[in-house]
Amino acid sequence: MKKILPLIILAGLALGQVSCEKDFLDKKPLDSYSDADVWQDLNLVEAFVNSRYTVLPFLEAQGVQKAYFMSGASDEGNSKHSYGNERALELGQMGPDNTVYNFWQQNYQEIRNLNIFLNRIAEVPAVGEAAIEQKNRLTGEVYFLRAYAYFDLIRHYGGVPLIDKVYGLNDESFEVQRNTFAEGIDFILKDIEKAISLLPSNYKETTKNIGRATSTAAYALKSRALLYAASTLHNPTNDKAKWTAAANASKEAIEFSEKNGFAIYQNADYKKVFTEKRNVEVLFDYNFSNVPGGGLDIVCQPNSYGGWSVYTPSQTMVDAFELVNGKLPSDPASGYDPQNPYVNRDPRFYANILYNGALFRGTPVEIFAGGKDSQQGDQGWNATETGYHWRKYMSETIRFGSEASNQNWIIFRLAELYLNYAEALQELGEDNLAKTYINKIRSRESVKMPVITETGEALKTRIRHERQVELCFESHRIYDVRRWKIAMETDNKPLMGVTVTKKADGTFVYTAKTVRTRVFKEAYYLFPISRAEINRNKLLTQNPSYD
């Protein structure tokens, strides 16, 4: 009997920019290729690899962007409908029987497929220079994807079982112990180095392979992984050697990226960093196509424009944006006016946040009670709970009835590498160089904020704050507050928003409101492993305080 590989029917869907050869696809129905067929045809192998890109943070089983779920599970934002089960997390109900997210099963499913590739690729015929190059490239992609999958596991769970074999029916046991976090990092680094050796720096000169993993993306993953490894959660003794490794990896990634044409985006409109596809700052991204009526825009845009206001910024996130003088609204010397709260703010505020009175799609957003974007407005059930909406990533031209979101979700960009490098440098006492890289971000053409001058612990605070602002809504904050071990402070307090009232004279009154109470437990620094997985593998131990 043939062993059918049903996942091949997904071929071509995983990489929106990767083309398929029509005559090749006409040879046989896609659902009838056997296991033997696949590993004798390099084009089928490529289709198999294409389908493995679901390991990246963009696709859930129902086609929902899991990366933006993370915003609603941290202090930067809200998840109104709890699409990702964020309510269980914020109400303190997360545990082995309600894990909130299922990163464990999703990643290990793909790791098994990636291991199948690595176990079988040697037998795939490759005749000629082009075929050998294709085979090497696909191998590099798989090493990158496996490194990413294991990184995603260890950032959620700490040490996990490191599996690099394919279990078969004749194996006596499928039970395996957890490796340590440090062993996980070592494993990831080895896969990254293999990927770097096999992948090109970019595909900017061609269209066929745009969207695939590159050595640039691999260097960026190395920078991120070693930064996490050096941080308090995984480095409680503050071993400076780990910070040195993080700094070196970030420097290496920056130099490699800049050597290959990447740079901080200098267009005068900061919003275009996230809407101009594959601009010079973007190291690795994914084409966020979806069926009409779906995608990022419809879940984040205001109700009068056809959106659902599901993921919205918190007041905490709004208050994190400085005034143009470089001072926070909480600073009495800032000049902040609580009744004109959106005046003279960091230019990134206007590019990231839609607020009452902001111009969007040619009309002002009306969040005030009775306004078109309030609960009394059109489709009021889709009104924001916090009083704000995302502007980052939002299209001002999309037609929800006939179009889907088509922007690219950024996985790595150069500004993150600068922030990684600055953080590691500061921990090593190299404050001046750290400030240089932070100020490169603040001085970009579209921002031009005052330079940071602090040193020591004050500089550490500024670097963390800069990361909160620059990387907002990009699936970083939920992990940053955990690796710094400050989530008991940041996430263990009410989710705040604003109520806007319009007075008879046309002016507005802004009043803080509690959207809901949130709970963060010490156990939540790591996520729980489901009870089903613990029961399935008797050697598997649960994370602390979840038993």
Side-chain angles (χ1 to χ4, degrees):
M1 179 181 290
K2 282 187 176 181
K3 198 160 103 186
I4 302 300
L5 216 66
L7 284 175
I8 293 301
I9 64 174
L10 296 175
L13 296 180
L15 282 171
Q17 299 293 326
V18 178
S19 63
C20 294
E21 299 177 27
K22 187 176 185 299
D23 58 345
F24 163 68
L25 294 178
D26 286 343
K27 288 179 182 177
K28 207 186 245 193
L30 282 176
D31 61 356
S32 64
Y33 283 108
S34 70
D35 187 70
D37 286 333
V38 171
W39 303 108
Q40 290 301 309
D41 190 312
L42 195 54
N43 289 311
L44 277 176
V45 173
E46 180 157 316
F48 179 84
V49 173
N50 290 354
S51 296
R52 306 286 69 80
Y53 274 77
T54 53
V55 79
L56 295 173
F58 52 77
L59 188 66
E60 287 282 7
Q62 296 178 336
V64 180
Q65 180 79 286
K66 73 182 180 187
Y68 60 69
F69 285 2
M70 301 295 98
S71 173
S74 72
D75 67 338
E76 72 177 8
N78 178 44
S79 171
K80 183 169 66 173
H81 298 316
S82 191
Y83 286 164
N85 199 22
E86 294 85 4
R87 199 73 73 244
L89 176 59
E90 64 185 358
L91 294 179
Q93 298 169 349
M94 185 168 71
D97 297 310
N98 187 1
T99 58
V100 179
Y101 303 114
N102 192 19
F103 297 123
W104 186 279
Q105 183 180 18
Q106 291 167 357
N107 279 300
Y108 275 117
Q109 284 176 342
E110 285 306 330
I111 286 169
R112 184 179 190 278
N113 286 319
L114 296 167
N115 286 341
I116 288 172
F117 171 96
L118 294 171
N119 187 56
R120 302 293 299 272
I121 188 61
E123 69 191 70
V124 179
V127 179
E129 184 177 342
I132 293 171
E133 182 179 332
Q134 180 185 12
K135 188 174 179 179
N136 287 337
R137 169 178 57 77
L138 292 172
T139 304
E141 290 177 50
V142 167
Y143 277 120
F144 170 83
L145 293 171
R146 190 170 71 172
Y148 195 98
Y150 272 118
F151 170 71
D152 197 45
L153 283 167
I154 67 173
R155 71 174 171 176
H156 286 104
Y157 305 105
V160 300
L162 299 172
I163 301 169
D164 60 1
K165 62 173 285 187
V166 179
Y167 284 95
L169 295 177
N170 295 325
D171 284 296
E172 294 182 2
S173 174
F174 300 100
E175 295 179 353
V176 59
Q177 293 181 330
R178 295 175 69 168
N179 292 81
T180 66
F181 181 88
E183 289 169 339
I185 288 291
D186 289 343
F187 186 94
I188 289 165
L189 293 180
K190 289 175 183 176
D191 274 3
I192 287 173
E193 293 306 320
K194 292 172 185 174
I196 288 171
S197 70
L198 293 167
L199 294 174
S201 61
N202 60 62
Y203 293 103
K204 291 183 180 295
E205 301 304 319
T206 64
T207 57
K208 179 181 179 182
N209 291 315
I210 285 178
R212 294 187 180 278
T214 63
S215 52
T216 304
Y219 276 114
L221 177 57
K222 181 179 179 180
S223 168
R224 189 184 291 180
L226 285 173
L227 181 74
Y228 278 52
S231 300
T232 304
L233 180 62
H234 304 294
N235 183 21
T237 63
N238 200 27
D239 181 353
K240 294 300 181 182
K242 293 183 178 181
W243 284 112
T244 298
N248 289 342
S250 295
K251 180 182 180 182
E252 183 180 36
I254 290 168
E255 291 177 346
F256 186 83
S257 299
E258 292 179 340
K259 176 184 175 182
N260 285 286
F262 296 96
I264 293 295
Y265 188 71
Q266 295 296 345
N267 188 288
D269 186 353
Y270 180 81
K271 293 193 300 295
K272 289 188 175 181
V273 174
F274 309 97
T275 58
E276 184 180 305
K277 289 187 177 184
R278 299 191 172 95
N279 61 73
V280 296
E281 186 167 325
V282 177
L283 308 178
F284 188 48
D285 61 359
Y286 187 82
N287 186 33
F288 187 36
S289 297
N290 210 323
V291 296
L296 180 63
D297 291 278
I298 199 167
V299 297
C300 293
Q301 289 200 20
N303 49 298
S304 76
Y305 303 88
W308 303 341
S309 310
V310 177
Y311 295 95
T312 56
S314 66
Q315 188 65 49
T316 295
M317 188 66 246
V318 168
D319 291 344
F321 289 93
E322 303 163 17
L323 278 78
V324 291
N325 58 17
K327 299 182 184 297
L328 287 169
S330 58
D331 187 336
S334 68
Y336 173 75
D337 180 356
Q339 292 310 315
N340 289 286
Y342 314 128
V343 176
N344 296 326
R345 303 295 287 271
D346 180 335
R348 290 173 291 187
F349 170 78
Y350 304 105
N352 285 306
I353 309 291
L354 285 175
Y355 53 91
N356 185 62
L359 192 65
F360 185 63
R361 291 188 175 223
T363 62
V365 176
E366 296 181 354
I367 295 169
F368 62 85
K372 61 184 177 66
D373 299 300
S374 70
Q375 292 181 353
Q376 296 77 39
D378 185 34
Q379 299 184 29
W381 59 89
N382 280 329
T384 173
E385 288 186 319
T386 63
Y388 303 101
H389 298 87
W390 285 28
R391 186 159 195 159
K392 179 177 277 190
Y393 278 118
M394 294 298 102
S395 167
E396 298 201 41
T397 60
I398 188 172
R399 297 170 296 175
F400 289 130
S402 59
E403 295 178 330
S405 294
N406 196 37
Q407 65 275 74
N408 284 11
W409 183 268
I410 298 171
I411 298 173
F412 296 110
R413 61 186 176 100
L414 189 59
E416 181 202 340
L417 298 186
Y418 282 11
L419 289 161
N420 294 353
Y421 192 33
E423 183 176 339
L425 288 170
Q426 192 281 323
E427 292 286 349
L428 294 170
E430 298 184 45
D431 288 3
N432 288 335
L433 189 55
K435 285 184 284 188
T436 296
Y437 278 86
I438 289 295
N439 289 326
K440 283 183 178 183
I441 295 172
R442 292 173 66 86
S443 64
R444 71 161 85 218
E445 184 65 26
S446 56
V447 177
K448 295 183 177 178
M449 286 292 287
V451 298
I452 287 175
T453 59
E454 289 88 344
T455 59
E457 287 298 310
L459 177 59
K460 177 188 288 189
T461 299
R462 290 301 300 269
I463 289 172
R464 290 181 174 184
H465 178 262
E466 190 68 18
R467 191 175 179 94
Q468 180 184 13
V469 169
E470 178 67 25
L471 300 180
C472 70
F473 314 140
E474 295 181 51
S475 194
H476 287 279
R477 180 67 176 173
I478 186 173
Y479 303 113
D480 284 344
V481 296
R482 281 168 168 75
R483 66 183 179 84
W484 294 329
K485 290 211 74 174
I486 63 170
M488 285 292 288
E489 306 162 30
T490 61
D491 290 18
N492 202 23
K493 58 185 180 182
L495 169 66
M496 301 299 293
V498 66
T499 297
V500 186
T501 306
K502 187 174 183 179
K503 297 167 63 176
D505 63 1
T507 60
F508 299 97
V509 176
Y510 298 90
T511 308
K513 69 173 181 179
T514 299
V515 177
R516 69 179 56 85
T517 301
R518 280 181 162 174
V519 174
F520 188 92
K521 300 178 180 179
E522 189 74 25
Y524 289 2
Y525 281 111
L526 294 175
F527 284 73
I529 302 168
S530 75
R531 195 175 304 280
E533 294 293 338
I534 297 290
N535 292 340
R536 186 178 294 120
N537 179 1
K538 294 178 181 178
L539 298 180
L540 196 61
T541 56
Q542 182 59 267
N543 276 326
S545 303
Y546 284 116
D547 291 323

